Amino acid sequence: MPGRDAAERALQAIEDPVRPGNLLESGRVSGLVVRDEQAAGLVLAVDDLAKAAAQALEGRIDRALKLAGFTSVRVIQTAERGDAPRPQGATVPGVRHIIGVGAGKGGVGKSTVAVGLALALKRRGLKVGLLDADIQGPSAHILLGIRERARATADKRLIPLECHGLKMLGMGVMADPDKAVAWRGPMVAGAMVQMATVADWGELDVLVVDLPPGTGDIHLSLAQKLTPSGALVVTTPQALARADARRAVAFFEQLKVPVLGVVMNMAGMVMPDGQVVHPFGEAPADAGLGADTIASLPLDPAVVAASDAGTPIETGSIAAGLDTVAARIATQLTL
Ligand code: ADP
């Protein structure tokens, strides 16, 4: 099993064709993802290379990593120049914008925010879909109280489920969700792209994608195959979570997915006497995450009960915080 060290050694053995140093020293390669110790993915900056040179370098990287024992290699070429035109908007027919919701680590409330954001965008009168791509713990259907399974049309197009004014699809509403956990990264990423592109979403202003925590294949596929308009990163104020959130922000940037902002979740809890306590600590004013914190949502035990009951709360302080996020995103994307 080759692993991450082997991938790095293979990349260090290749000199950059233009810049000084090897591919890692020159900053040519970033966002290295190694999964199951045998599949590697990376981002290759090609702005200063001619097309043929970029293709040749991608070929060399592919061969070197396969020689090092990797069975699957994915290279995403990006133009790093700040002014390079980036494809804007979704590549799903009928869908205007795709927004990924990610997090550095699990358990910070990413799915809660993804569902809450979808509902907040809907409250603005927009047509919204939600795609649950969090294979590590598909829960959006539970948060929305969906118990049915998705069906397909005669010509094999998945029909999204409709609930709380949203259209929804995800691993958790497929025929046999328990089987999905045994799927490997590339299969899941493929399934995510299929759910996004082959489903019958109709006309959507926004498709919100609940991504798995961390960085991996699904994020690469989202960036490469779906051209999202942006991503939101969720974290708690805890230093441990913030460190991972910073990495998630940097990863989206390497993938050229604009980070629309950070949502600080479970930031303080109002006690019955009005006093505010901070179970997850307090983030400094400049949280140093590489992106603006666009909302702080309190820790509210009512959210836990509502999640389990499948009845999302559409009023109160958390919904109001998510309305702010939705308004900001609507401005950023001119929705
Ligand atoms: P993730 O998708 O990051 O793993 P979830 O959205 O599943 O996280 O949330 C993890 C747990 O925290 C769930 O039990 C959820 O109900 C709870 N939770 C999330 N946000 C809040 C909040 N603001 N206040 C109280 N509980 C929350």
Side-chain angles (χ1 to χ4, degrees):
M1 289 290 181
R4 189 177 181 90
D5 288 350
E8 286 180 353
R9 277 198 302 278
L11 294 167
Q12 278 159 350
I14 304 177
E15 283 300 304
D16 193 291
V18 178
R19 308 174 192 173
N22 64 50
L23 293 186
L24 289 186
E25 288 165 343
S26 65
R28 175 79 59 194
V29 164
S30 60
L32 178 64
V33 176
V34 170
R35 186 183 25 77
D36 299 337
E37 307 213 322
Q38 56 176 356
L42 55 88
V43 179
L44 183 68
V46 296
D47 55 305
D48 53 349
L49 297 180
K51 197 158 183 223
Q55 286 311 108
L57 183 58
E58 178 175 330
R60 278 191 72 189
I61 291 171
D62 185 80
R63 281 192 298 279
L65 289 171
K66 291 208 170 127
L67 259 177
F70 288 91
T71 51
S72 145
V73 176
R74 291 184 68 187
V75 176
I76 297 181
Q77 295 190 14
T78 61
E80 207 171 44
R81 230 175 283 129
D83 58 358
R86 201 194 148 268
Q88 262 283 319
T91 41
V92 180
V95 177
R96 281 174 67 202
H97 290 283
I98 295 176
I99 299 174
V101 179
K105 56 161 62 250
V108 297
K110 172 185 53 58
S111 298
T112 305
V113 169
V115 169
L117 171 67
L119 291 167
L121 289 164
K122 175 209 71 177
R123 286 196 290 277
R124 298 183 68 78
L126 299 170
K127 293 197 195 77
V128 185
L130 178 70
L131 176 59
D132 186 357
D134 183 357
I135 187 65
Q136 293 176 26
S139 56
H141 64 296
I142 300 172
L143 300 181
L144 289 168
I146 296 177
R147 291 195 187 81
E148 311 131 77
R149 298 273 170 262
R151 289 176 300 110
T153 59
D155 59 348
K156 299 237 162 70
R157 295 190 76 193
L158 279 166
I159 308 169
L161 295 166
E162 296 198 28
C163 196
H164 300 282
L166 302 176
K167 291 193 175 175
M168 191 269 167
L169 271 181
M171 291 295 175
V173 297
M174 290 298 143
D176 196 349
D178 291 342
K179 273 202 183 133
V181 290
W183 289 14
R184 291 182 167 275
M187 286 169 71
V188 176
M192 188 272 296
V193 172
Q194 283 233 321
M195 282 193 288
T197 54
V198 187
D200 194 359
W201 294 102
E203 296 285 315
L204 288 184
D205 294 302
V206 187
L207 178 63
V208 176
V209 183
D210 184 7
L211 294 164
T215 54
D217 275 306
I218 293 187
H219 304 73
L220 293 179
S221 288
L222 174 84
Q224 190 182 29
K225 305 260 169 66
L226 300 182
T227 47
S229 305
L232 203 64
V233 173
V234 183
T235 182
T236 68
Q238 191 177 2
L240 205 66
R242 279 189 277 124
D244 287 341
R246 191 176 308 122
R247 267 191 289 280
V249 169
F251 188 63
F252 281 123
E253 274 165 3
Q254 283 160 359
L255 296 177
K256 299 285 171 253
V257 177
V259 177
L260 302 170
V262 172
V263 173
M264 196 66 74
N265 190 28
M266 310 200 217
M269 176 174 170
V270 185
M271 304 301 279
D273 64 1
Q275 191 201 341
V276 179
V277 295
H278 295 94
F280 292 101
E282 284 179 85
D286 177 10
L289 299 175
D292 288 349
T293 299
I294 55 174
S296 287
L297 308 179
L299 195 158
D300 181 354
V303 169
V304 178
S307 303
D308 290 346
T311 49
I313 307 173
E314 296 209 54
T315 55
S317 55
I318 291 188
L322 289 164
D323 282 334
T324 311
V325 176
R328 169 120 177 194
I329 288 177
T331 309
Q332 278 170 299
L333 303 183
T334 51
L335 279 166

